[in-house]
Amino acid sequence: LTLVDKRKLKAKLYLAEVDAEGRRGPVFVAGLDVPTPIMGIYAFESLGLKPNPITGKLEVVGPEGGYLL
């Protein structure tokens, strides 16, 4: 697993279903030992969403759920 700061970690991956902004779909979940759960960009993208860094809100950019490549 490569983090945004380019660090590489070994982690177990799981398949889960996520619901965000009323959209639901399958995503990969990495088992990480962190104090606060982290939702990665891949999870948002698989739901057809992207975070807007200016407004802090999620924007719809595509169809919801189902793309696991």
Side-chain angles (χ1 to χ4, degrees), residues 18 52-53 61:
V18 132
N52 181 319
V61 293

Side-chain angles (χ1 to χ4, degrees), residues 21 23 44 47-53 55 57-62:
E21 297 293 319
R23 292 171 160 241
F44 289 118
L47 296 174
L49 300 169
K50 77 170 186 175
N52 181 319
T55 65
K57 298 187 183 271
L58 294 173
E59 297 178 349
V60 174
V61 293

Side-chain angles (χ1 to χ4, degrees), residues 5-69:
D5 63 5
K6 306 296 186 210
R7 287 183 294 152
K8 294 186 185 277
L9 301 175
K10 281 192 174 190
K12 289 184 179 181
L13 288 179
Y14 304 91
L15 185 59
E17 185 174 71
V18 132
D19 187 335
E21 297 293 319
R23 292 171 160 241
R24 179 177 290 173
V27 296
F28 287 112
V29 176
L32 299 174
D33 185 21
V34 294
T36 303
I38 302 167
M39 188 165 175
I41 191 66
Y42 182 81
F44 289 118
E45 289 174 346
S46 71
L47 296 174
L49 300 169
K50 77 170 186 175
N52 181 319
I54 295 170
T55 65
K57 298 187 183 271
L58 294 173
E59 297 178 349
V60 174
V61 293
E64 83 176 87
Y67 300 114
L68 285 179
L69 301 175

